[in-house]
Amino acid sequence: MRCTARTRSRQPSPAPGRTTSSPSRTTARSYGLRSRRCRWAQVPEHSTVEKTKGRRARRTIKTVQVPTWISFPVATHVAQLPRTVTVNGKKSVEVVYLTTSTTATPADLAAMVQGHWGIENKLPYVRDVAYNEDASRIRTGNAPRVMATLRTIAIGLHRLAGTTNITTALRHHNRRPDKVITLLTCTNWTLP
């Protein structure tokens, strides 16, 4: 199925093989992706439902071939990804529009989008929680980048050593600094 509408604004094209999301609803609106001309209700969908800790999340993805009026030269598909989350009876709906140059199936594309959040939650979240990085007062020159790199290396060393809870490992090494040398000289890493 193809969407038909006229062009209203232009965005720079993403690199080949990359998936990008619309930065705002106004972008989706300006491309006509939310208009009746796209007829998203008629597009076949792939849905997943996840239930964890009193939270129910339903993710649905619909993909169509990229319309001719979108000027991304390498884009092959446009996708609509509505997420409905219910927590303690309160329902929230968020709709995200994506353009991609991959030829993945809707199920694979949904897994890629959800996998992106796994990356976000794995390193930046741990750096912020374990090291309180957002409250860091180091702000001049290359010092912020150097400190972020050192924190990332420390997290990587702990993960290679088989640690699942970085905060607990940091407390352990804070109380027993001699174990840091053992961590740095370890030769039998267990890869996750």
Side-chain angles (χ1 to χ4, degrees), residues 104-169:
T105 64
D108 292 339
L109 188 59
M112 282 187 245
V113 171
Q114 192 167 359
H116 168 76
W117 288 107
I119 294 168
E120 177 66 25
N121 291 337
K122 198 157 196 157
L123 187 62
Y125 177 78
V126 171
R127 275 199 332 220
D128 185 37
V129 171
Y131 291 104
N132 201 13
E133 194 173 57
D134 287 348
S136 176
R137 305 282 301 188
I138 302 169
R139 295 194 175 105
T140 58
N142 289 328
R145 184 174 292 159
V146 169
M147 288 306 296
T149 302
L150 291 173
R151 291 176 185 130
T152 302
I153 290 170
I155 291 168
L157 286 172
H158 285 296
R159 293 224 190 270
L160 284 173
T163 304
T164 54
N165 189 332
I166 301 297
T167 306
T168 304

Side-chain angles (χ1 to χ4, degrees), residues 164-185:
T164 54
N165 189 332
I166 301 297
T167 306
T168 304
L170 290 173
R171 282 191 210 116
H172 170 76
H173 286 104
N174 191 25
R175 282 182 243 129
R176 305 209 42 206
D178 56 314
K179 296 294 183 183
V180 175
I181 302 300
T182 307
L183 181 67
L184 291 172
T185 59

Side-chain angles (χ1 to χ4, degrees), residues 7-18:
T7 184
R8 292 185 185 162
S9 66
R10 301 204 185 265
Q11 294 277 334
S13 62
R18 302 285 247 158

Side-chain angles (χ1 to χ4, degrees), residues 7-56:
T7 184
R8 292 185 185 162
S9 66
R10 301 204 185 265
Q11 294 277 334
S13 62
R18 302 285 247 158
T19 300
T20 59
S21 63
S22 290
S24 67
R25 290 183 179 157
T26 56
T27 303
R29 191 177 299 121
S30 66
Y31 277 130
L33 297 176
R34 295 179 67 202
S35 70
R36 292 184 183 149
R37 293 179 183 166
C38 267
R39 296 185 182 95
W40 287 105
Q42 299 172 357
V43 178
E45 65 184 37
H46 170 76
S47 294
T48 59
V49 177
E50 180 183 293
K51 296 177 185 176
T52 56
K53 299 179 183 176
R55 179 180 184 264
R56 182 179 185 271

